[in-house]
Amino acid sequence: MTAAQVDHLLDEAQDYGAINAIYFEGGEVFLFYPLLLHGVRAAAARGFDVGLVTNCYWATSHEDALAWLAPFRGLLSDFSVSYDHYHWPEQYG
């Protein structure tokens, strides 16, 4: 997907008029960080509530987590972490 395609989809959602929230999820959205950031900014600029779902693979330290998340400050209405038994480290069983 390209930034232009994201913009087109957001324009269609806005024109539809009944959509008030946009979520970025499925797979791991942070794998495409520049496109994710573009999409979140574009959705927020159009007035949507914006959420995203991530497994936080990128948050290997407190400092890394802050660096990755800082550009999203003030843009997100919801931030969800996906976590299940299939993705636990072995020591947590």
Side-chain angles (χ1 to χ4, degrees):
M1 182 166 279
T2 66
Q5 290 170 319
V6 170
D7 290 336
H8 178 74
L9 290 171
L10 291 171
D11 289 341
E12 286 188 346
Q14 190 173 33
D15 290 345
Y16 184 68
I19 298 171
N20 59 14
I22 300 292
Y23 270 75
F24 294 88
E25 59 182 278
E28 174 49 49
V29 295
F30 275 81
L31 289 174
F32 305 98
Y33 189 84
L35 186 58
L36 173 64
L37 186 54
H38 171 83
V40 167
R41 286 176 173 162
R46 286 170 174 79
F48 291 110
D49 289 333
V50 183
L52 59 85
V53 180
T54 177
N55 65 20
C56 291
Y57 79 92
W58 41 267
T60 56
S61 70
H62 183 77
E63 293 78 19
D64 283 347
L66 291 176
W68 281 73
L69 292 174
F72 296 96
R73 181 173 286 134
L75 300 175
L76 298 176
S77 299
D78 186 56
F79 179 83
S80 299
V81 176
S82 62
Y83 194 72
D84 60 36
H85 290 287
Y86 297 107
H87 296 96
W88 286 4
E90 285 187 28
Q91 69 264 27
Y92 299 122

